[in-house]
Amino acid sequence: MGDIARELGISPARLRQLADAGVIPSERSPGGHRVFDPGQVRSALARRASSEDIVVPRWERPDWFATLPLAGLEEDQVWREYVVDRLPKMSQDATTIANYAFTEMLNNAIDHSGADEVAIGLWSGAFEVRFETRDWGAGALPHVQERLGLEDLYDALGELVKGKTTTDPSRHTGEGIFFTSKAVDVFTLESGGLRWTVDNLRDDQAVGGSEITHGTRVRWEIDPAGTRTLSEVFHAYYTDDDYRFDRTKTVVHLFGIGVRFISRSEAKRLMRGLERFREVELDFTGVEDVGQGFVDEVFRVWPRDHPETVLTPTGMNGPVEFMVRRGLPTPSPGDRRID
């Protein structure tokens, strides 16, 4: 999706709209992802444009771009002085989310990148607003990997996906990237040659390759007329009794190669650090099969060692649910570790 959108010079959201409307052809991969033939897409757009005068938005150049030194930079000042007056007419909810996402991502570059400068881009349209921050520092994923002593960049990405991950706990809560990725429509973080995309319009996530091998590039998009509120985003992950970030949702297929999870090592990678939450949803959407060792580690061994955390498996197909239910321990009276 992202590759073909960049090649055509349109946004992923616009590409989805055109595909949903049948303007451009697409197919589904065995894993359920939408795939396109670039030649067929260009031909379809050309025919449509010539026959009905449809104008496809172009995103080749930002409407505003600046490279700013990071020394002494303050994210809220950049928002007020450079960004807010360049935005189109937006709902209050969309403006609040845009403000939150922009200042959080710029603050990450200021506090964590170790770079000398940051490049900022803004695309302002009637139906979509896109932001980008780009630095040439240590790189978000290599930085997390090094500071937390993780095995590889995939483990570092896994920690970011879970939430509450920070390399400087005395100054940061580890919530910025996590909640920004949930608040905007489409969020992409690229670092260390990996690309993590969160598509909240489709409730989907994906990991792929990226040309960004040095530093970090973060892009996010939002509908200027959007009605999603920041409080709704936070409420979905905060417990009702004490308003703490104690819930998370982990997408299982991001933690392995392919759609089958068999080994205990895959299970340990998935469950690492989840004890910092009281409620964890394990989303098995897109996973075709799981092994006995994987299930035993996730649903017997890990809950035994962390009885304070409730696990809730969701999105299971028939074979996965069979293996999970088969591997669940016989509950003791009052035991609520697994729902």
Side-chain angles (χ1 to χ4, degrees):
M1 178 75 74
D3 291 338
I4 191 68
R6 281 190 297 275
E7 194 167 322
L8 293 173
I10 65 177
S11 70
R14 179 59 174 159
L15 185 63
R16 279 189 297 273
Q17 292 172 353
L18 293 172
D20 288 344
V23 175
I24 58 177
S26 66
E27 298 178 355
R28 292 286 181 179
S29 70
H33 297 288
R34 197 192 299 270
V35 293
F36 301 86
D37 181 287
Q40 293 180 2
V41 170
R42 290 193 189 94
S43 297
L45 289 176
R47 290 194 301 270
R48 189 81 169 186
S50 61
S51 62
E52 299 187 20
D53 196 29
I54 290 179
V55 178
V56 179
R58 307 300 294 179
W59 299 91
E60 295 179 353
R61 297 181 180 86
D63 297 304
W64 173 77
F65 177 85
T67 301
L68 304 175
L70 284 172
L73 194 65
E74 298 182 1
E75 64 272 13
D76 60 327
Q77 184 176 356
V78 176
W79 170 262
R80 291 193 304 269
E81 293 187 5
Y82 295 100
V83 178
V84 69
D85 290 337
R86 290 182 165 89
L87 296 175
K89 183 178 180 181
M90 300 176 66
S91 68
Q92 183 60 53
D93 294 331
T95 302
T96 298
I97 288 178
N99 186 358
Y100 173 81
F102 181 87
T103 53
E104 286 288 342
M105 294 304 94
L106 182 54
N107 179 261
N108 270 358
I110 294 171
D111 285 356
H112 298 299
S113 71
D116 295 325
E117 59 186 18
V118 61
I120 304 170
L122 167 66
W123 292 257
S124 178
F127 302 103
E128 183 179 36
V129 181
R130 177 191 288 182
F131 299 87
E132 175 181 306
T133 59
R134 173 74 164 99
D135 69 70
W136 290 263
L141 297 182
H143 181 64
V144 170
Q145 179 190 355
E146 179 184 359
R147 294 296 296 271
L148 299 185
L150 303 175
E151 182 176 345
D152 55 32
L153 294 177
Y154 285 95
D155 283 349
L157 176 59
E159 295 306 299
L160 291 182
V161 170
K162 295 169 185 174
K164 282 190 180 181
T165 299
T166 178
T167 58
D168 189 2
S170 65
R171 299 175 59 196
H172 293 271
T173 62
E175 299 182 6
I177 291 177
F178 181 85
F179 281 112
T180 297
S181 73
K182 307 300 182 185
V184 300
D185 290 343
V186 182
F187 174 90
T188 302
L189 183 146
E190 298 172 87
S191 172
L194 293 181
R195 179 193 299 120
W196 170 42
T197 300
V198 181
D199 186 340
N200 292 306
L201 299 176
R202 296 303 179 101
D203 191 24
D204 195 12
Q205 298 189 44
V207 177
S210 169
E211 71 274 17
I212 304 299
T213 58
H214 182 62
T216 304
R217 180 168 68 188
V218 183
R219 291 173 166 172
W220 64 102
E221 305 167 14
I222 189 171
D223 181 353
T227 58
R228 182 190 301 116
T229 69
L230 198 57
S231 61
E232 290 173 348
V233 174
F234 279 97
H235 182 73
Y237 296 93
Y238 273 58
T239 53
D240 296 330
D241 52 353
D242 54 11
Y243 298 98
R244 295 176 56 191
F245 179 21
D246 274 342
R247 295 190 186 117
T248 194
K249 175 181 178 180
T250 298
V251 181
V252 177
H253 74 74
L254 296 180
F255 290 84
I257 305 299
V259 293
R260 291 174 173 81
F261 290 77
I262 306 300
S263 69
R264 290 185 184 272
S265 61
E266 291 172 312
K268 291 175 181 178
R269 184 180 301 116
L270 170 67
M271 303 306 290
R272 184 189 186 278
L274 289 177
E275 66 275 5
R276 55 185 180 251
F277 299 95
R278 288 195 293 180
E279 300 176 20
V280 175
E281 177 184 346
L282 299 176
D283 185 356
F284 283 85
T285 300
V287 176
E288 296 182 2
D289 198 10
V290 292
Q292 187 274 332
F294 178 88
V295 169
D296 186 64
E297 188 70 32
V298 171
F299 294 107
R300 186 185 67 84
V301 176
W302 195 91
R304 181 198 63 198
D305 296 336
H306 306 93
E308 69 284 355
T309 301
V310 177
L311 301 180
T312 303
T314 62
M316 298 180 288
N317 66 14
V320 171
E321 182 170 8
F322 172 80
M323 290 297 295
V324 169
R325 299 302 176 191
R326 176 179 177 273
L328 290 178
T330 302
S332 301
D335 188 353
R336 293 187 63 254
R337 291 179 301 179
I338 303 173
D339 284 351

